[in-house]
Amino acid sequence: PNFDDAKWTIMRIVGGTIGRRRPPFLRYRVKKLPEGPQTPGVGSERGRSLPSLEFAVHPATCGRILVVYPGLGATIDGESRALTSSHPLRYRRLAEKLQEERVAAVVRLANPGDGYHAGGARAVDRLRRGLDEALRHARALCGTHDPELLLMGFSAGAGAAAALAREYRPKRLLLVAPSEDAGRERIVAGLRKYPRRLCIVVGDEDEVVTREAGSRFDKISPIARRKEVIYVPGCDHFFSSDEHDRFLEATVMHVFALRNKSRPETDDDSR
């Protein structure tokens, strides 16, 4: 852990002075954690072994950390090649843009398919482990021990993000094409008492979760503040076209970019 913190701190400080010209080895670092003894979850979620975790870290001095959990089978870089040929480097590109503009330090996770054999519990545990790692190393990643936590999930990853919304209370939560692969009961329990900013984005022609995913997730998040539900005309599940990919990038910036970078956001700003 001390070596990791030193490495990420150097990347954050040195890379920050270089800005957009930073070389690749100062942009991000990939790390893998083996399966662990047990999860620190609560209630029925406690006691399972921790799943292995592959993640990439983009440090940035900004006081904010965004954790990105992609869809089923996706890598740390982009969408699963087994499901789509579109945008295999989507999440790396988004992370580098957020890092360059100092919107947030970014931690992007892989989401292997082995997480969904037991009702999605293992996939939720993997995200929980990724969130814990991000918060444990917050000072090295973003320059403060008490960062603003942001969370983005896509498809199956969005369902897992919703399931942990109540537990981690991210300042802002973006769910793109959310599915219920993580277990509807978990998702309802996690989202129904989530009180902060929520944005749900669904393609109007989504062939996987369908357009109705937007209304379902809207209904189970009644107290979210500044909630937005966006339906994208002509868009499929993977935001495959270049136009829809650009729209997704613009939405990420819209949701997570600070309106006033001179001060941290407060709960009042989210109403």
Side-chain angles (χ1 to χ4, degrees):
N2 291 335
F3 172 79
D4 289 333
D5 282 344
K7 180 75 172 179
W8 290 327
T9 300
I10 291 171
M11 293 173 67
R12 173 172 58 83
I13 295 174
V14 176
T17 63
I18 298 173
R20 294 178 181 272
R21 295 177 293 107
R22 75 177 71 194
F25 65 87
L26 285 177
R27 292 177 187 169
Y28 69 92
R29 176 170 172 246
V30 176
K31 185 173 175 62
K32 296 182 180 181
L33 298 178
E35 188 167 331
Q38 65 178 38
T39 175
V42 296
S44 62
E45 305 292 318
R46 183 185 293 121
R48 296 189 297 270
S49 62
L50 282 168
S52 60
L53 178 68
E54 181 184 15
F55 62 102
V57 170
H58 296 250
T61 303
C62 54
R64 312 169 91 216
I65 298 177
L66 168 63
V67 176
V68 179
Y69 201 33
L72 180 66
T75 69
I76 55 174
D77 290 327
E79 308 299 352
S80 167
R81 293 180 184 272
L83 298 177
T84 177
S85 59
S86 301
H87 314 299
L89 301 178
R90 167 178 281 161
Y91 301 110
R92 186 200 300 180
R93 175 174 46 81
L94 285 173
E96 289 183 349
K97 183 176 180 63
L98 291 161
Q99 179 192 45
E100 286 173 359
E101 300 192 14
R102 298 193 185 183
V103 172
V106 182
V107 178
R108 45 191 172 93
L109 314 181
N111 190 359
D114 66 356
Y116 298 90
H117 298 321
R122 195 167 177 82
V124 174
D125 287 343
R126 181 173 283 112
L127 175 57
R128 181 184 283 114
R129 191 176 192 187
L131 287 162
D132 289 343
E133 280 294 305
L135 295 174
R136 184 178 298 117
H137 297 282
R139 171 81 179 205
L141 299 184
C142 70
T144 177
H145 288 298
D146 185 25
E148 287 187 4
L149 179 64
L150 314 171
L151 182 56
M152 170 185 170
F154 183 92
S155 192
L164 293 180
R166 181 183 179 186
E167 182 177 340
Y168 286 87
R169 292 172 62 89
K171 180 71 71 172
R172 301 183 185 193
L173 176 62
L174 172 59
L175 306 179
V176 182
S179 78
E180 297 181 357
D181 292 294
R184 179 170 176 78
E185 185 176 340
R186 286 190 192 86
I187 291 170
V188 172
L191 206 53
R192 67 182 175 185
K193 292 188 177 181
Y194 173 69
R196 292 179 166 176
R197 182 172 179 179
L198 172 63
C199 182
I200 302 166
V201 183
V202 181
D204 212 22
E205 297 181 5
D206 192 313
E207 72 284 8
V208 178
V209 301
T210 76
R211 190 180 191 278
E212 295 307 310
S215 62
R216 290 198 305 272
F217 277 76
D218 183 15
K219 289 177 182 177
I220 60 178
S221 56
I223 67 171
R225 297 174 178 177
R226 290 193 62 200
K227 180 164 57 175
E228 298 175 271
V229 182
I230 302 171
Y231 297 99
V232 187
C235 181
D236 65 7
H237 183 67
F238 291 102
F239 290 69
S240 299
S241 74
D242 290 341
E243 176 187 359
H244 293 137
D245 183 58
R246 288 192 296 270
F247 177 86
L248 180 59
E249 179 179 307
T251 302
V252 170
M253 299 303 295
H254 162 71
V255 171
F256 295 122
L258 281 172
R259 290 168 295 166
N260 182 350
K261 294 186 179 181
S262 66
R263 64 177 177 85
E265 183 183 12
T266 66
D267 282 337
D268 286 340
D269 293 325
S270 298
R271 288 178 182 167

